[in-house]
Amino acid sequence: MSLNAALLENAVMWRRQLHQAPELGYQEQQTSDLVAAVLTQAGLQVFRGLAGTGVIGTLHNGSGPVIGLRADMDALPITEKGGVAWKSTRPGVMHACGHDGHTAILLAAACALAATRNFSGTVHFLFQPAEENLGGARRMVDEGLFSRFPMDAIYAMHNWPGLPLGTLAVNPGAMMASLDAFEITLNGRSCHAAMPESGADPMVAAAELVLALQTIPARRLSPLASAVVSVTQIHGGEAINVIPEQITLRGTVRCLQPEVRKRVRELIEEFVTALPRPFGVSGEIHWYPGYPVTANHAAPAQQVREVAERLFGEQQVNWACNPSMASEDFACMLEACPGAYFWLGADGAVPSAPLHNANYDFNDDLLPVGISFWQQLVESVLPSRTPHR
């Protein structure tokens, strides 16, 4: 699909402008101002304020189904190391996940569809804040996204380093894992480090517990189940000659099946309760539920596949791809509305730096690919009732 050259130039300009001025979750005021201004100029109805800085642009074109397309807007608390001319001007904040590119793609797609209108129905363009660990998608749902803007289906994309430019990956089931965080507190009895028998050492219990938790995926679940348990922080103690009173462990759990997620939580709680006891230590756990499994619905996923095969070629589409154990809060929208989430390959001649890396930069060659895909998806899911000439 050929794109208007001026529109593509604007997409590059918007992307780099956003990259230079990144904003963290729920702070995307400048970003949402840009989004709202572009959508208004393109003739869309614009709604602001959902989840604070969220923006929704609505494009009506006759009767027909209603779908949503979503882009995330927030940046990460990372200091950029790259040397591009459009490098972040805000110390400690950068677009290290490509949300600047996602936003520019969806903005340009909205402009293109508003100009051509080769579809029948309604498209809601959702610009979501706070995808990175802050649950912006869940907040939009909780604040009435789908009651205020009912949709038959919703779609989202993510650029994907490791896949070549011009390829797409999607499947009819899980794409990304669930995310839950935990904090374990081990309470012992402090004493002199030279006389450990007079106390109860939570440090030893912590060491045993870290190792024991790793047996959950390996020995307590079926090999066909997918789960990752990672302890990422250990805090405790103030002096080298004192056994501490308390140790705190923090970490995350990732799963690809809801029933596995439930079972892993039960097993961790069993370990935390029972394992410290022989050491004279008590354990308790506090959970911080994150995102559910990002699970595609079969029919919308098939629609993505068919459009991709027409646009890129069948060999360029990775259908029934292996899911990622990373997480994505678009899962909260998929729990409330049928839809599909997919990856667009980001690697050009030079492979992209990984996501969430200080040297990452969105590949601008992906902009026309993403814009064309959104336009073709809309025109496929909402076919025009007037024959094209």
Side-chain angles (χ1 to χ4, degrees):
M1 177 179 291
S2 60
L3 293 173
N4 180 285
L7 178 62
L8 189 53
E9 288 179 8
N10 282 338
V12 174
M13 177 186 69
W14 296 328
R15 204 287 292 182
R16 296 181 180 182
Q17 181 179 338
L18 292 170
H19 192 91
Q20 282 188 307
E23 296 173 299
L24 298 175
Y26 297 126
Q27 300 175 30
E28 308 95 338
Q29 192 60 53
Q30 187 173 334
T31 302
S32 61
D33 285 347
L34 171 65
V35 167
V38 172
L39 294 176
T40 299
Q41 187 174 10
L44 280 73
Q45 292 178 276
V46 177
F47 306 87
R48 302 187 66 173
L50 205 63
T53 50
V55 182
I56 298 174
T58 298
L59 181 60
H60 297 290
N61 197 50
S63 61
V66 182
I67 63 172
L69 310 179
R70 171 270 206 176
D72 33 21
M73 300 188 295
D74 56 323
L76 283 157
I78 296 174
T79 298
E80 186 166 5
K81 291 183 178 179
V84 295
W86 48 89
K87 184 177 179 178
S88 171
T89 59
R90 295 176 175 168
V93 185
M94 74 168 288
H95 272 294
C97 202
H99 297 182
D100 50 344
H102 302 165
T103 298
I105 286 172
L106 192 58
L107 270 180
C111 292
L113 287 160
T116 57
R117 295 180 178 265
N118 292 324
F119 68 94
S120 294
T122 299
V123 186
H124 296 300
F125 299 88
L126 280 65
F127 295 85
Q128 179 209 309
E131 187 276 331
E132 299 289 357
N133 297 322
L134 296 175
R138 175 175 283 123
R139 183 173 165 186
M140 290 187 86
V141 173
D142 290 344
E143 292 183 8
L145 171 64
F146 294 112
S147 58
R148 293 177 58 185
F149 305 92
M151 303 175 206
D152 298 300
I154 188 166
Y155 303 84
M157 67 166 65
H158 205 292
N159 78 99
W160 208 251
L163 292 178
L165 188 69
T167 62
L168 182 147
V170 66
N171 67 47
M175 286 291 293
M176 308 280 276
S178 62
L179 166 64
D180 295 296
F182 58 81
E183 180 177 279
I184 298 168
T185 303
L186 298 175
N187 296 297
R189 188 169 65 254
S190 181
C191 64
H192 197 292
M195 295 174 280
E197 74 283 359
S198 62
D201 191 349
M203 189 68 75
V204 175
E208 293 284 350
L209 184 59
V210 170
L211 294 175
L213 292 180
Q214 305 312 306
T215 68
I216 290 175
R219 289 294 179 267
R220 300 298 302 275
L221 300 176
S222 164
L224 301 178
S226 300
V228 175
V229 179
S230 294
V231 177
T232 56
Q233 297 179 19
I234 301 179
H235 300 279
E238 297 176 314
I240 63 170
N241 61 345
V242 177
I243 289 176
E245 188 85 13
Q246 188 178 87
I247 297 291
T248 301
L249 309 177
R250 298 189 182 98
T252 68
V253 176
R254 315 282 179 136
C255 303
L256 289 177
Q257 300 90 12
E259 64 276 11
V260 173
R261 184 187 188 192
K262 179 176 181 292
R263 180 58 177 151
V264 169
R265 178 168 175 158
E266 293 171 348
L267 290 169
I268 290 177
E269 291 173 352
E270 286 181 18
F271 274 111
V272 170
T273 301
L275 186 144
R277 286 176 181 167
F279 301 98
V281 174
S282 63
E284 58 185 26
I285 185 168
H286 184 80
W287 289 95
Y288 300 91
Y291 307 147
V293 177
T294 305
N296 284 342
H297 298 249
Q302 179 64 27
Q303 290 170 333
V304 169
R305 177 189 185 182
E306 292 172 358
V307 171
E309 288 179 348
R310 289 198 302 270
L311 187 61
F312 308 134
E314 186 175 347
Q315 297 304 312
Q316 300 297 97
V317 178
N318 185 353
W319 174 249
C321 61
N322 289 328
S324 169
M325 296 307 290
S327 303
E328 161 64 63
D329 80 340
F330 185 65
C332 301
M333 294 187 180
L334 289 177
E335 275 196 329
C337 179
Y341 175 87
F342 55 94
W343 303 325
L344 286 180
D347 285 356
V350 177
S352 170
L355 300 175
H356 292 214
N357 183 283
N359 291 294
Y360 170 87
D361 184 39
F362 185 87
N363 183 357
D364 284 340
D365 289 340
L366 183 53
L367 293 171
V369 176
I371 297 165
S372 296
F373 184 86
W374 278 143
Q375 190 167 358
Q376 289 226 4
L377 180 70
V378 170
E379 293 175 359
S380 175
V381 177
L382 308 178
S384 174
R385 296 179 182 180
T386 302
H388 297 287
R389 295 183 180 180

